[in-house]
Amino acid sequence: MFWSAQILGGFTGASLVWLVYMPHWKVTPDAEAKLAVFCNVPAIRNLPANLMTEIIATTCLIVVGFSFGSPAVSSTGLPIGFGPWLWGVLVWAIGLGLGGPTGYAINPARDFGPRAAHAVLPISH
């Protein structure tokens, strides 16, 4: 249910972006530039290498991110506001380390929802 809500949220947000960019769709001939409004594209399209990069990045996000709430990290929990800061630093660090090859798409819901919207919305060219 949670994953469905995330993907639906990404789809909805991308649909709103589609509305904002409505005047630009007909006058922009570059299909890759239009796709870039919705999702990331790899610097070099190599499916096995791109998939491996995303699997490593997503695994790091999940394993390290969910360890922030672990009692092994702090028996009393993290101080208020520290968890979101750690998540932000984690996403930043993963992006710096692994974002180049595939464009920083480490959250599948954030990339898949807008990609699905791009596939179904009426965008010229």
Side-chain angles (χ1 to χ4, degrees):
M1 198 69 166
F2 180 71
W3 291 351
S4 297
Q6 285 187 321
I7 292 171
L8 185 61
F11 186 94
T12 303
S15 299
L16 292 172
V17 169
W18 171 73
L19 286 172
V20 169
Y21 279 85
M22 187 71 78
H24 300 268
W25 299 130
K26 288 184 182 167
V27 298
T28 304
D30 186 359
E32 184 109 355
K34 292 177 185 181
L35 178 62
V37 171
F38 293 91
C39 58
N40 301 318
V41 293
I44 298 171
R45 193 170 293 276
N46 178 330
L47 189 57
N50 298 150
L51 180 63
M52 182 57 66
T53 300
E54 289 302 313
I55 288 171
I56 292 168
T58 302
T59 301
C60 288
L61 178 72
I62 292 168
V63 171
V64 175
F66 284 116
S67 73
F68 297 152
S70 170
V73 174
S74 173
S75 60
T76 60
L78 295 172
I80 304 244
F82 200 57
W85 183 82
L86 285 174
W87 276 97
V89 169
L90 175 62
V91 170
W92 175 68
I94 292 172
L96 287 177
L98 293 168
T102 57
Y104 219 145
I106 60 176
N107 181 348
R110 187 197 65 76
D111 191 67
F112 180 72
R115 196 175 290 269
H118 178 268
V120 300
L121 291 170
I123 301 170
S124 59
H125 306 295

